[in-house]
Amino acid sequence: MISLLTGTIRSLTYDRTVIEVGGVGLSVVLTPSTSAQITLGSQQQFFTSLVVREDSLTLYGFLTEEAKGLFELVQTVSGIGPKVAMSIVGAMSPEDLARAISQEEISVIEKVPGIGRKGAQRLILELKGRLSDLSSSQTYKGHQPAWREKLVSGLTSLGFSPKEADGAISDVV
């Protein structure tokens, strides 16, 4: 796993950079806001996440460990892959997302490109209680128990909204 790169920026576009590390140029996918913060020819450090697919190995780069952690965390939600995860990281700070999830602000999350109403509801349901504050002083909480996830899935397939299902389980437990 490649988790940290430090080197010279050799090429830069709005969503990608090539960073030279030890004479090797590595292509790293960035958010547009991250790309705007770096300059060609400068020394830069990226916290990276390597995504392995059948046809590619893709490095995603972040300026902070919190952004990298958020990127990896939102991919644990069903239906969210690296592309949508980058969209979330680019559109919202970790603190803003944590606040939106804790206050169940579907409309705020829906503003992220690639996330619709159902995606926002699923994000809230699956991440609520797993993160409270994404600042550097906090760490992510562990996954929900498998039985709880299965129970929520069963209730939503019976017609309950994700919020209702989560509330019902919390009342019983």
Side-chain angles (χ1 to χ4, degrees), residues 144-173:
Q144 288 183 356
W147 63 266
R148 185 177 181 103
E149 290 177 6
K150 289 178 182 177
L151 192 53
V152 167
S153 176
L155 289 172
T156 54
S157 68
L158 290 172
F160 286 85
S161 73
K163 184 178 178 181
E164 292 171 333
D166 192 48
I169 294 168
S170 295
D171 289 344
V172 173
V173 175

Side-chain angles (χ1 to χ4, degrees), residues 5-90:
L5 294 176
T6 303
T8 306
I9 304 298
R10 295 295 180 202
S11 171
L12 181 63
T13 64
Y14 77 98
D15 69 341
R16 187 174 298 268
T17 189
V18 173
I19 183 170
E20 183 180 337
V21 180
V24 176
L26 298 167
S27 179
V28 180
V29 177
L30 309 170
T31 64
S33 61
T34 299
S35 181
Q37 295 178 45
I38 60 176
T39 57
L40 195 60
S42 66
Q43 282 289 114
Q44 189 65 51
Q45 176 176 302
F46 292 109
F47 296 93
T48 60
S49 181
L50 178 64
V51 176
V52 179
R53 295 285 186 244
E54 185 176 308
D55 60 342
S56 69
L57 298 171
T58 308
L59 270 174
Y60 293 87
F62 309 93
L63 295 176
T64 65
E65 284 187 273
E66 292 79 19
K68 174 188 171 184
L70 177 63
F71 172 78
E72 293 174 343
L73 181 68
V74 297
Q75 286 185 80
T76 64
V77 175
S78 57
I80 295 184
K83 186 175 180 179
V84 174
M86 282 299 277
S87 187
I88 292 169
V89 171

Side-chain angles (χ1 to χ4, degrees), residues 100-113:
I101 288 173
S102 68
Q103 296 174 0
E104 299 185 17
E105 296 174 335
I106 294 171
S107 61
V108 172
I109 299 170
E110 277 183 311
K111 293 178 183 175
V112 174

